[in-house]
Amino acid sequence: MSNFNETWYAVFAGAAVKGIAVLCIAWLVALLLRGRSASARHLLWTATSAVLLALPFLTISLPALYVPLAGPLSAPSVTFQTSVLAPSVFSSSQVTPQPSPPAPLRHASPSVDWRSGLLLLWALGAIATLAPVLAGSATIWRMRRQAKSFADPNVADLKASLQIRQRVDILEGEPGSMPMVCGWIRPAVFLPADAAEWSQDRRRLVLLHELAHVRRGDLPAHLLARTALSLYWWNPLAWSAWRELLKERERATDDMVLSLGARASDYAGHLLEIARTMQAKSPEWAASIAVARESQLEGRLAAILDSRVNRKGPGRAWALAAALLAIAVVAPLAAVRAQDKQMETTPSDVEAAIRSATAQKNPQLLDDAAKGAPALGNYNLARKLLDASLKIRGEVSGTGSKEYGVGLLNLADLERARGKRAEADVFYSQAANVLGDRPEGALALIHLGTFQIISKNLDGAFEFFKRARLIDPANAGTALMWMAVTKARENDPEEADRLYRDALAIQEPTSKEAATTMELYAQFLRLQSRESDAKLMSDRAIAARKTQAPARSISSAYRIGNGVTSPAVIFKVEPEYTDEARAALLQGTESIALEIGPDGVPRELRVLRGVGLGLDEKGIEAVRQWKFKPGTKDGQPVTVSATIDVNWRLL
């Protein structure tokens, strides 16, 4: 139940914030439309209601468009060093460390869930706002069943003048009741029983007004806007928009009546008399549109009698433009999510995410949710999400499809990231079999090739890399780099040199892949005693890495000096070399920028200078677990910016 509440709370909390943005935009557009007709402004408020109503539902159904929240990074003022030493040769006796089993879940004692309270309050307000409409609809349904037809010989001509082709019932209401139109599927006009005693001119104008509501489609718009209001009942802007919609609707209908030849003075006089002598009854008023309301009458009469008012209704182009604008606003706004760089997917969200993705047959939702978990060491959570994603891919596309192969790749990458080489090898092999010669299979082949290097099967590794190069031009540079690594291991320096140069020739010079190739090539050149060439290549790698460094932004973290003391490391976890980096004999220095909070916990971790082949992620993963004695300012713990240099070295 808590998962359900958290999911719906997130949906409606997001819709609430986005709804405020939509209403603010609508009010700005309304100000720009002050010189336009009432019909144009009513179209604006109708479109706004549709957008508000669609927001929570599209938020659930559309793929998430995550917007990272900016994390401050200032120039760090204190640097920590750590070195990672690993053997350069793999041993068959080496055992890959396995993560410890997750701690058993503790059952928390029952407590009041404030999200449930807010959802309940929202639901009660929504029901209270929509209840008059439901009650009015029930009353009108009974009235229609009991009402007699009201015969008027002018109805056919009035419908023809308004180009109304659908059936509209003209019914007799109670004596003294307010004329009104109701029924958005089968419209009907109610006239009081004593309308037969009215003058022909008054009856014609009243019928013309009510039929104009039918022609304009005001009844469906009324229901749509009222439903949207029930979702946002707590927002004063929503109530203001509702009142504006009612006001502009009546003025737009008046404009249509006047455009058909009615005299403004006669029309205003009839409206005033009807409003003075007749009253609308509750509850049917909430589900219908009455001809006149006293609260709106003064402004309506002034507009009717003002000859300067623009009474030209918008054409189809306006309606199309409003629809396109509404779609342009609601789609990205509904899809956008706020996501912190250190967003953590918690176990309480998993079942809800899996149910939602399964219902929508959308595995990408689970893939996106799984991305943040490995960075926080929560591999089991990521595995559960990716297993569910793979199941959906198999059900939707089949186990021999490209989509299923990509799901196997995701699982293989996860198992490789947490050091489970044997499990990763199985998934990569399955992915390669499913994907065949599709370009997506190149990544599986490259990883299988690195496993062959680890197993000292250099010929088999070279064949995997060669095949990957052929089936996917996008990863051809990476495949060539690994082919060069293989030839260097085989003591074939001329072929290795050629392959390194071929790889760099097709890689983007400032890409991470090119920087890694340059660093490996520089190491190779040093082994060949080509120091000047090695330095040139190393400098190019450093320059490429600098272009990938995140831009610095303003931070509230302190720097050392002026009364601010440096934090001190009290606990640290050493990073682990990746199999790929060891297979390629990759070495280098990774620089991590971070902030150390008053609680001594590192946060806002970012790689300023990377190394590649998974070492950057391993460095972040380890440093995230460090603990510090916090820095202080005037004796009080404060947030301090720092860097950590991780020196990756092979013995």
Side-chain angles (χ1 to χ4, degrees), residues 358-373:
T358 302
Q360 300 176 47
K361 300 187 183 303
N362 187 351
Q364 190 62 45
L365 293 176
L366 300 180
D367 296 343
D368 292 340
K371 286 178 181 177

Side-chain angles (χ1 to χ4, degrees), residues 156-236:
D157 292 338
L158 294 176
K159 287 178 62 178
S161 64
L162 289 165
Q163 299 180 348
I164 298 176
R165 295 182 176 85
Q166 69 185 116
R167 175 183 172 182
V168 181
D169 296 328
I170 310 298
L171 304 175
E172 183 180 297
E174 295 182 7
S177 61
M178 181 72 71
M180 64 181 182
V181 62
C182 59
W184 64 281
I185 297 178
R186 287 181 52 204
V189 175
F190 276 91
L191 294 178
D194 46 3
E197 302 173 3
W198 292 353
S199 67
Q200 184 177 356
D201 186 48
R202 173 177 296 183
R203 195 163 57 245
R204 186 182 69 83
L205 289 175
V206 169
L207 280 171
L208 191 60
H209 178 94
E210 301 301 342
L211 290 171
H213 280 304
V214 176
R215 176 67 178 84
R216 285 173 31 80
D218 287 337
L219 291 161
H222 179 90
L223 180 61
L224 180 146
R226 186 73 182 200
T227 305
L229 178 65
S230 70
L231 293 181
Y232 300 85
W233 60 267
W234 47 268
N235 191 338

Side-chain angles (χ1 to χ4, degrees), residues 315-345:
R316 292 183 178 179
W318 267 85
L320 179 60
L324 293 176
L325 180 61
I327 293 171
V329 170
V330 71
L333 193 60
V336 74
R337 315 279 199 278
Q339 176 185 358
D340 187 79
K341 285 187 287 293
Q342 297 186 27
M343 181 191 72
E344 180 175 1
T345 306

Side-chain angles (χ1 to χ4, degrees), residues 7 46 48 51 139 145 178 196-197 296 303 305 314 319 331 349 363 427 465 471 475 499 525 533 538 597 622 625 646:
T7 301
T46 302
T48 301
V51 169
T139 302
R145 293 189 65 184
M178 181 72 71
E197 302 173 3
Q296 303 172 350
L305 297 173
D349 297 327
F427 280 125
F465 300 139
I471 67 174
N475 283 293
L499 289 168
L525 292 170
D533 291 339
S538 181
Q625 302 174 65
V646 182

